[in-house]
Amino acid sequence: MANEPRDNVLLEEPCMFILENGEMYRNPTEVKMSQIVLPCHANYCEELSAGQLLKWMDSTACLSAERHAGCSCITASVDDIHFETTIGVGQVVNITAKVNRGFTSSMEVGILVSCEDLFSNRQWPPFATFVARRTEAGKLQLKQVIPRMQAEQMEYSLAAERRRMRLIHAEIINDLLSSCSCQIVSECLDYRDAVPAEQTRVESVELVLPPHANHQVSTFGGQIMAWMENVATISARCTVTILLQSNLMIKKILKLIRKKIIGVSVHNSLYAFSSSRLCNAHPPLQSIDMFHFRGPSHIGDRLVLKSIGNNAFKKRYIYIKKKLWTTGTSPQKL
Ligand SMILES: CC(=O)SCCNC(=O)CCNC(=O)[C@H](O)C(C)(C)COP(=O)(O)OP(=O)(O)OC[C@H]1O[C@@H](n2cnc3c(N)ncnc32)[C@H](O)[C@@H]1OP(=O)(O)O
């Protein structure tokens, strides 16, 4: 990582708007970053790796949060992300982040990712929550965001509802796990080519080095997400290469490969995973569920990333469960 080429970061001036009263306005928290996708950012299919995109999103959003808070901020959580399109080498990725609403010490940052090429300009909007770092005096009270434009007012209102959902998310998942009954052997028997989950298990240890750390000397949230994406992708490849064995499937996969539509939609993603052995294609990531950064990690920590294929659904998704621990004297779940 230390020898990786430096990214060409271009921070653009925030957009200016003229309000109804004629006043010139630009959102003071808005940060724009444009990146040209170089081969060093791509996977071996010459498409931008999801992990790299997550790193860019996290740093843009962090700059926006810090511009609002006026102090260092940390990523607390990132909402569900759906990757709607693949981005190729040579295309330009534009990332815009702005604070939708400040609460007490936390704030919601809206991130808009768009991809430019000669033919299209597709975009999709994830959200992240940043928290202003505590000082010795305690928790910081953020200043309020004043929404001026109609779109900002709408995001401001929705941010409160999204926050509520974020905070109950962990509870809902825990309830689900404790109340859900296990679907065991009888269901698995329906699938002739079922995969033993154990064979999809992947474990990787990453040593946090200075290039992985942010300006607060803790591991960059985006870097952690990139490592998670890496292990999840390997699990997904294991799942599918073992799962899909019938000739019929292989014919369908080859047809999709010829049509070059692999990895474009959710429906095709499983085929794309399966094709990884057949044509060395990279399994594209379709979505990431909301996740929370529960505790910081620092330079010198070892992060243990574990992933396992939870389930595969006919012609649709593979769900990969990812877990992350730091190791040290006492292993801690992040
Ligand atoms: C830019 C970077 O790359 S940072 C690196 C990656 N991120 C990290 O390392 C962060 C690791 N996580 C942490 O340090 C902690 O979990 C924290 C600071 C995020 C939260 O710690 P807590 O003990 O829950 O703090 P506390 O209870 O005071 O909550 C602080 C705020 O965070 C909010 N918060 C806590 N967890 C979440 C979450 N999962 N999602 C959204 N908001 C959250 C709380 O609602 C609270 O908001 P408020 O002050 O506006 O009411």
Side-chain angles (χ1 to χ4, degrees):
M1 288 295 290
N3 295 326
E4 263 190 9
R6 288 187 71 84
D7 299 335
N8 299 319
V9 180
L10 173 68
L11 287 180
E12 296 177 358
E13 273 299 301
C15 290
M16 295 288 281
F17 293 96
I18 302 173
L19 299 177
E20 277 175 6
N21 60 8
E23 194 187 326
M24 295 288 278
Y25 168 73
R26 71 176 193 196
N27 187 316
T29 69
E30 188 174 293
V31 172
K32 281 188 164 197
M33 183 187 281
S34 292
Q35 297 276 359
I36 185 152
V37 180
L38 301 175
C40 62
H41 304 134
N43 56 32
Y44 57 83
C45 234
E46 297 195 343
E47 285 159 1
L48 174 62
S49 79
Q52 180 61 64
L53 179 61
L54 292 166
K55 284 194 214 173
W56 288 338
M57 286 162 55
D58 186 52
S59 34
T60 317
C62 180
L63 289 176
S64 171
E66 292 187 344
R67 190 174 273 182
H68 179 67
C71 63
S72 25
C73 296
I74 44 182
T75 323
S77 67
V78 178
D79 290 2
D80 297 356
I81 304 176
H82 299 276
F83 297 92
E84 293 174 8
T85 181
T86 52
I87 302 173
V89 170
Q91 287 186 303
V92 172
V93 182
N94 297 314
I95 303 171
T96 308
K98 60 184 164 58
V99 176
N100 289 334
R101 186 164 179 161
F103 301 99
T104 308
S105 66
S106 69
M107 66 211 104
E108 182 190 275
V109 181
I111 309 162
L112 189 70
V113 181
S114 68
C115 159
E116 252 180 57
D117 62 20
L118 291 176
F119 311 106
S120 62
N121 189 1
R122 306 184 66 178
Q123 51 187 39
W124 65 99
F127 299 96
T129 303
F130 283 78
V131 177
R133 254 178 201 277
R134 279 173 187 271
T135 59
E136 279 173 6
K139 200 163 158 171
L140 213 91
Q141 171 70 58
L142 292 174
K143 56 182 185 276
Q144 282 307 304
V145 168
I146 303 164
R148 302 288 299 276
M149 305 197 13
Q150 207 179 359
E152 288 176 1
Q153 280 157 7
M154 197 173 76
E155 292 301 349
Y156 181 87
S157 312
L158 291 173
E161 185 54 22
R162 283 192 291 253
R163 176 178 195 256
R164 197 185 60 79
M165 286 160 56
R166 240 165 250 139
L167 295 178
I168 59 168
H169 178 260
E171 280 174 43
I172 293 174
I173 298 290
N174 285 340
D175 285 354
L176 204 67
L177 287 174
S178 55
S179 63
C180 148
S181 58
C182 293
Q183 299 175 343
I184 319 179
V185 188
S186 59
E187 284 216 1
C188 292
L189 287 177
D190 295 343
Y191 301 101
R192 275 176 297 126
D193 300 318
V195 180
E198 197 47 42
Q199 288 186 25
T200 72
R201 189 184 291 280
V202 175
E203 187 172 321
S204 170
V205 183
E206 301 285 351
L207 172 63
V208 182
L209 297 171
H212 305 137
N214 58 25
H215 48 306
Q216 304 146 27
V217 205
S218 54
T219 322
F220 241 118
Q223 179 61 66
I224 295 173
M225 291 190 274
W227 284 329
M228 290 171 91
E229 190 259 335
N230 182 45
V231 286
T233 300
I234 299 169
S235 274
R237 285 181 58 154
C238 297
T239 309
V240 178
T241 47
I242 307 162
L243 183 70
L244 298 177
Q245 293 166 344
S246 83
N247 283 335
L248 180 68
M249 276 295 188
I250 291 169
K251 274 183 195 158
K252 279 185 181 171
I253 294 159
L254 291 173
K255 210 167 148 191
L256 288 167
I257 294 167
R258 276 198 293 276
K259 286 183 176 174
K260 292 189 166 61
I261 54 173
I262 282 171
V264 173
S265 71
V266 169
H267 178 77
N268 294 331
S269 68
L270 187 62
Y271 295 129
F273 287 153
S274 67
S275 67
S276 58
R277 271 227 176 128
L278 296 169
C279 70
N280 278 340
H282 192 78
L285 179 64
Q286 295 294 317
S287 67
I288 302 180
D289 284 3
M290 179 188 294
F291 63 88
H292 305 260
F293 292 95
R294 295 190 193 146
S297 57
H298 304 98
I299 295 171
D301 282 347
R302 278 109 178 121
L303 300 192
V304 183
L305 300 115
K306 295 182 181 183
S307 75
I308 191 163
N310 274 349
N311 209 342
F313 301 97
K314 283 186 185 172
K315 300 180 189 174
R316 283 181 184 269
Y317 304 94
I318 297 173
Y319 278 116
I320 306 293
K321 186 174 178 180
K322 296 159 287 183
K323 283 188 178 170
L324 178 61
W325 285 268
T326 51
T327 57
T329 42
S330 53
Q332 179 198 354
K333 205 167 168 184
L334 291 186

